[in-house]
Amino acid sequence: MAGVAAAYAALVAAGELRADPAQAAVAARLQELAETLEAPTPKPGLFGRLFGAEAPPPARGLYLWGGVGRGKSMVMDLFFGQVAVEPRQRVHFHEFMLEIHAAIHAAREASGEDPIPQVARWQAGRARLLCFDEMQVKDIADAAILGRLFTALFAAGVTVVATSNRPPDDLYKDGLNRALFLPFIALLKERCEVVALDGPTDYRMARLAGARTWLVPNGPEATAALAASFFALTDYPVEDRARVPTETIAVPGGRSLFVPKSLKGVAVFSFARLCRQPLGAADYLAIARRYHTVFIVGIPRLAPENRNEAVRFVTLIDALYEHKVKLLASADAVPAELYTAGDGVFEFERTVSRLIEMQSADYLARGHGAG
Ligand SMILES: Nc1ncnc2c1ncn2[C@@H]1O[C@H](COP(=O)(O)OP(=O)(O)OP(=O)(O)O)[C@@H](O)[C@H]1O
Ligand SMILES: [Mg+2]
């Protein structure tokens, strides 16, 4: 069965998804978009060729927003898998912005000219259709370039489909110099239909299963249970536990990261090593790509003054989740009670939802890797 709506209906019929009218409506809308994108672009007629008529505007995309676990990424991925458009790209927004900043940096080194038009041309050549998972803007460096970058991308005929936990008007909310960011919001709303997928069911929560991968509290019992899992996963003799190899992995951007225990695609870190030091998305993505399973020991309860640790932990879990990395952890609290007051509590809700899904039998059964 071809088409996004049909693919969705097939998954419901097979019992893999619960029927959800709001999701079905989004699937139908995405199917229309797929058909528009797949239609051959009309060649300009003689008149157009003579008078240099402008290319028709790109198909209007979709901006899907809603609470955690509503199925936004799931329907977008169905669309991405079905639509016959080349080249196309499905990317986590964090990861995309890291690549854009790297390209801007390289373009600036190579020539003294304004790098944004060059980078936009390069990016438009890589993807006519861009699917962003988890669009969020927290960083002034991103906020400052998005308007110009996307003006150029849309002008080059790129169509954008995005998922987000916030409506466009709440992007970069309370950010520094937000007034300068408003034109980007207006542009996004013009070039993407805004659709809420914000029904009552958090499907991630609904799939909760009982696997013991999140151990509470920190202490000798949790440590013993995690050690047993580590040795079971790696076939490493427990007697040799003092000699488990370490590793240093390269992080794009020229840095490196020390991994205290690394064996057969499994890594062990303390919370302090990952979240009390100034690490960021690039480090966490390097970990998520390199390891199929990550252990994090000693996760404390986070108070309002631990806001930096909480922000890093959110970024870390996003990277692990995106790459379907299996997580085993010991913590002082269950996910919902880890961080309940302070800056970024809203973003932390997604992390809580993901941590719960990451404990499910279904998540644990998925293969490692992005997409
Ligand atoms: N109709 C459904 N029936 C059963 N499971 C579903 C349904 N819709 C989504 N799911 C499952 O629920 C989980 C969460 O869905 P998804 O990741 O798409 O949510 P999301 O809206 O992108 O959440 P977030 O904002 O946290 O990224 C996934 O495992 C997905 O396969
Ligand atoms: Mg999602």
Side-chain angles (χ1 to χ4, degrees):
M1 246 192 300
V4 190
Y8 180 80
L11 287 170
V12 171
E16 287 191 33
L17 295 177
R18 275 199 258 156
D20 179 322
Q23 290 180 347
V26 171
R29 173 66 189 81
L30 285 169
Q31 164 139 14
E32 272 172 38
L33 176 58
E35 285 163 10
T36 311
L37 289 169
E38 287 164 1
T41 31
K43 297 240 177 336
L46 179 64
F47 185 84
R49 285 201 299 276
L50 286 176
F51 297 97
E54 290 195 3
R60 192 162 182 238
L62 207 72
Y63 180 101
L64 262 183
W65 70 273
V68 298
R70 267 37 178 202
K72 301 179 297 293
S73 303
M74 182 275 295
V75 271
M76 185 175 79
D77 288 343
L78 271 184
F79 164 72
F80 188 79
Q82 291 282 333
V83 65
V85 172
E86 296 296 344
R88 66 183 191 277
Q89 209 181 349
R90 189 266 189 214
V91 62
H92 193 265
F93 194 68
H94 258 323
E95 203 155 344
F96 175 79
M97 289 312 294
L98 288 171
E99 287 180 10
I100 291 293
H101 283 295
I104 287 179
H105 182 75
R108 207 177 262 138
E109 302 261 287
S111 77
E113 288 165 33
D114 180 3
I116 296 216
Q118 304 174 48
V119 170
R121 265 197 306 280
W122 163 75
Q123 175 57 45
R126 292 208 298 175
R128 206 184 124 209
L129 168 66
L130 257 175
C131 290
F132 289 129
D133 202 25
E134 272 155 51
M135 183 147 195
Q136 49 181 330
V137 182
K138 289 186 284 194
D139 185 342
I140 189 160
D142 291 350
I145 60 170
L146 282 171
R148 289 185 61 220
L149 178 70
F150 278 85
T151 301
L153 288 176
F154 290 130
V158 172
T159 295
V160 168
V161 174
T163 80
S164 177
N165 290 132
R166 298 175 183 263
D169 286 321
D170 288 353
L171 286 173
Y172 196 50
K173 206 175 178 190
D174 309 320
L176 215 56
N177 285 335
R178 187 161 189 270
L180 298 176
F181 181 73
L182 298 178
F184 173 69
I185 294 180
L187 179 68
L188 198 60
K189 291 200 285 194
E190 183 194 318
R191 299 301 331 154
C192 297
E193 185 184 335
V194 178
V195 176
L197 188 53
D198 205 19
T201 312
D202 174 347
Y203 289 103
R204 202 176 279 130
M205 198 69 100
R207 283 190 170 183
L208 207 158
R212 293 257 301 151
T213 52
W214 186 274
L215 295 137
V216 177
N218 286 307
E221 260 178 61
T223 305
L226 288 179
S229 301
F230 179 81
F231 293 106
L233 275 170
T234 55
D235 292 321
Y236 198 73
V238 183
E239 313 82 74
D240 291 347
R241 65 168 62 203
R243 289 195 295 273
V244 175
T246 62
E247 188 180 9
T248 299
I249 59 173
V251 177
R255 283 179 303 128
S256 60
L257 185 88
F258 178 72
V259 185
K261 285 190 172 65
S262 165
L263 197 63
K264 293 193 182 171
V266 181
V268 181
F269 296 94
S270 64
F271 175 86
R273 178 173 294 276
L274 288 180
C275 299
R276 290 218 199 277
Q277 306 190 76
L279 302 186
D283 304 276
Y284 300 144
L285 287 166
I287 293 170
R289 290 202 185 98
R290 171 78 183 81
Y291 298 102
H292 61 75
T293 301
V294 167
F295 286 61
I296 305 175
V297 300
I299 302 172
R301 268 181 210 270
L302 298 166
E305 62 270 25
N306 304 124
R307 60 176 292 278
N308 290 328
E309 282 100 317
V311 168
R312 287 187 202 115
F313 188 68
V314 166
T315 309
L316 168 65
I317 297 304
D318 280 348
L320 297 182
Y321 178 85
E322 177 70 14
H323 288 80
K324 305 192 192 79
V325 176
K326 311 306 171 279
L327 174 69
L328 286 88
S330 65
D332 279 335
V334 295
E337 285 162 20
L338 270 186
Y339 186 59
T340 53
D343 286 352
V345 159
F346 177 82
E347 279 75 16
F348 206 85
E349 269 181 45
R350 186 181 68 245
T351 303
V352 170
S353 160
R354 290 191 158 182
L355 288 171
I356 291 167
E357 182 183 357
M358 288 164 92
Q359 296 173 53
S360 70
D362 196 64
Y363 181 90
L364 294 168
R366 283 177 212 166
H368 176 221

